[in-house]
Amino acid sequence: MREILGRRLQRLRDRFKSPRASPRSTAAAGAVPSLLDGALTCATLWRWPVLPGVGRAGADSTRCACPDPDCVVPGAHPFDPGLLAASADARMVAWWWTRRPTAPVLLATGGAAPCAVSLSAGAAARAVVRLDAQGMRLGPIVATPTRWSLLVAPYSLERLGELLYAKDHVPSSLRFHGEGGYLLLPPSTASGGGQVRWEREPAAGRDGLWLPEVEAVVDALVEASSGAPGGGSRLAY
């Protein structure tokens, strides 16, 4: 099945390949997939709604292209188009990235799309090792130099609120990407620099892409935090 989807994606790449892309820019990319490839993969293989991030501006590409001079996530957030424009339509995705080939790839989380739970990279790496040892089944994991995001099945804000309310303690490093949120996807550049990558790539089984429930992930992370030396300080930064 994956081979069939891969051939279908290649046909889409060939069909929508930007005529403005030069051989030099392609060679410079090396083995790193283009942002268009990444966006089309998410939209066509997984049916995830994506949209281009605002990107960078300035001669040294360090300033966010949005009007806010003090933007805290330079380049890595929606602006134009807005988050509600996110789409899984290959033609729309190709139209965006052939005109803005350096735009980061954003997933609009929630609804029918995956949500995510994220925490600092060092704490996440240790937690994942521990959860693997316990036999906890995890889904795809997106990694930046500073944070890892564990993808989970869609959940509502009400469901999340009830889950957190029932907890005596939740690590302060956890962030939740649910309805109305977004997540930076590979192969984008992180807002603080460095490459966004898959620590664990999405993999489809017989029933499609499997995602854990948010309760299972939060419960496991809280348990790992509580059992860590110092009362959970390893996760709470």
Side-chain angles (χ1 to χ4, degrees):
M1 177 181 176
R2 190 174 180 84
E3 292 179 359
I4 295 173
L5 291 174
R7 289 195 295 269
R8 184 182 302 171
L9 176 59
Q10 186 58 54
R11 289 197 295 270
L12 284 167
R13 289 175 184 144
D14 296 340
R15 178 180 177 186
F16 293 117
K17 189 175 181 180
S18 172
R20 286 172 285 188
S22 67
R24 182 178 178 181
S25 65
T26 303
V32 178
S34 72
L35 291 156
L36 172 59
D37 284 347
L40 279 174
T41 297
C42 294
T44 60
L45 295 191
W46 310 118
R47 305 303 301 166
W48 294 351
V50 296
L51 75 160
V54 64
R56 306 282 188 124
D60 54 1
S61 297
T62 58
R63 180 173 58 82
C64 186
C66 76
D68 183 1
D70 300 316
C71 182
V72 296
V73 283
H77 65 88
F79 181 67
D80 183 17
L83 189 62
L84 292 179
S87 175
D89 181 82
R91 293 170 297 179
M92 189 75 253
V93 170
W95 188 87
W96 278 329
W97 269 275
T98 53
R99 285 155 180 77
R100 296 171 54 190
T102 62
V105 181
L106 299 180
L107 165 68
T109 55
C115 295
V117 179
S118 71
L119 66 161
S120 54
R126 289 189 290 269
V128 167
V129 169
R130 179 167 180 161
L131 299 180
D132 283 342
Q134 294 173 349
M136 171 74 185
R137 185 182 180 189
L138 298 173
I141 301 175
V142 176
T144 76
T146 58
R147 294 189 73 80
W148 286 16
S149 300
L150 285 66
L151 270 61
V152 298
Y155 59 78
S156 66
L157 295 179
E158 292 79 10
R159 180 178 168 193
L160 177 64
E162 292 174 359
L163 170 64
L164 298 182
Y165 182 77
K167 297 292 181 188
D168 294 328
H169 164 72
V170 175
S172 59
S173 62
L174 294 187
R175 296 177 189 167
F176 299 90
H177 310 260
E179 274 188 82
Y182 61 90
L183 186 67
L184 195 63
L185 293 181
S188 307
T189 299
S191 60
Q195 194 77 24
V196 182
R197 61 180 177 81
W198 290 110
E199 172 65 21
R200 294 192 182 176
E201 294 189 28
R206 293 182 178 180
D207 299 322
L209 178 66
W210 183 86
L211 295 167
E213 297 296 328
V214 65
E215 291 89 349
V217 170
V218 172
D219 286 349
L221 291 177
V222 169
E223 181 181 352
S225 174
S226 300
S233 60
R234 292 176 63 189
L235 288 185
Y237 59 78

